[in-house]
Amino acid sequence: MNSKLKNEQTDAFFRAVLALRTSEECYDFFEDLCTVSELQAMTQRFHVARLLSEGKTYQEISAETGASTATISRINKCLEYGSDGYKTALERLDHADND
């Protein structure tokens, strides 16, 4: 866990996200919280992480998502050396999709 991020306000925000129960609630919350560009950037990053975990090349990912190679590289570093946030989310999503 990144101690630079941990504080009472961030904890409250994460509890609020975890309290959302449906995709529709998530759409409503994130539409209020984020600009369209911010939400598109986050979803693009998550898509890139998924494609990297599937073994796609930077060129394939860039062509499919429009992400720059710098963005893809940064996400790849998170997958390799980060706190496993992407990995945890992707694994849980994969398990949920297979149930």
Side-chain angles (χ1 to χ4, degrees), residues 2-81:
N2 188 337
S3 60
K4 292 180 183 178
L5 295 175
K6 181 137 180 72
N7 62 49
E8 189 175 320
Q9 293 79 22
T10 305
D11 286 349
F13 171 71
F14 289 153
R15 285 194 309 275
V17 171
L18 290 168
L20 299 171
R21 294 191 177 130
T22 65
S23 292
E24 188 62 36
E25 287 178 351
C26 287
Y27 273 99
D28 291 344
F29 179 75
F30 283 98
E31 185 176 333
D32 286 349
L33 180 69
C34 301
T35 66
V36 171
S37 295
E38 290 168 334
L39 190 52
Q40 288 172 335
M42 287 188 286
T43 56
Q44 181 190 60
R45 289 180 199 130
F46 189 70
H47 190 161
V48 167
R50 173 177 267 173
L51 295 174
L52 283 166
S53 72
E54 293 172 357
K56 302 281 179 145
T57 67
Y58 280 30
Q59 291 76 20
E60 291 171 322
I61 294 167
S62 183
E64 182 171 332
T65 66
S68 70
T69 55
T71 296
I72 298 167
S73 177
R74 186 174 55 77
I75 294 165
N76 193 48
K77 285 180 185 168
C78 289
L79 287 170
E80 290 184 27
Y81 307 109

